[in-house]
Each structure stands twice: as C-alpha cells, then as structure tokens.
Amino acid sequence: MLDKIKSHLIEIFACMFFLLFIFWSIGYFANALFNTKFDLQSCWGGIAALGGSGTLAAVKYIYDSKYNSTEGDKIQ
C-alpha cells in the first residue's frame, strides 16, 4: 500500500492543488455573485500547508529515486 502511495505521490499532490483551486474558484464566484462572505485567505493557507518544505522534499526524493537511478539500484 505504501509503495503505491509513494509511486503516485506527485499525482496525489497535483490533485490536491487542483481541488484547492476548484474550491477557491467556487468561493470566489460565490462571493461575487451571491455575496456569501467566503474567506478567500483560507485557501492561501491551504496552499502554504500543501506546499511546505516537507512536501517538496518528499516529491524531490521520489522523483530522484524513480527517474535518476538505474533499474535495480533504486532505494527502497
């Protein structure tokens, strides 16, 4: 299970950013069209949490171990 997550981590984070963008867009247009008072600053907090240095380090490690190693020499 963890190997599948590790091999698809970049795609998981890309989907998280896409979902965050969708939710932010819905909130932005709801504020404009229906005056809902959605706090758009909360989405920037989500981007900061997803884009933290730990996430970037994990993505770099997985990308490097997947694409920059010869087959059979990969670190488990």
Side-chain angles (χ1 to χ4, degrees), residues 48-64:
L50 287 176
S53 61
T55 301
L56 296 176
V59 168
K60 183 189 179 312
Y61 170 76
I62 290 168
Y63 189 83
D64 284 347

Side-chain angles (χ1 to χ4, degrees), residues 20-56:
L20 189 63
F21 173 75
I22 294 296
F23 293 146
W24 184 84
S25 298
I26 290 170
Y28 181 80
F29 286 109
N31 280 349
L33 298 174
F34 306 113
N35 198 20
T36 57
K37 307 283 192 288
F38 178 72
D39 184 23
L40 296 176
Q41 185 62 33
S42 66
C43 291
W44 293 116
I47 289 174
L50 287 176
S53 61
T55 301
L56 296 176

Side-chain angles (χ1 to χ4, degrees), residues 3 6 61-62 64-66 69-76:
D3 288 334
K6 189 171 95 171
Y61 170 76
I62 290 168
D64 284 347
S65 65
K66 184 175 181 180
S69 299
T70 57
E71 193 66 35
D73 291 339
K74 293 183 181 179
I75 299 172
Q76 296 294 327

Side-chain angles (χ1 to χ4, degrees), residues 7-25:
S7 65
H8 297 289
L9 193 62
I10 294 172
E11 291 89 357
I12 290 169
F13 284 116
C15 289
M16 286 179 175
F17 278 113
F18 181 69
L19 283 173
L20 189 63
F21 173 75
I22 294 296
F23 293 146
W24 184 84
S25 298

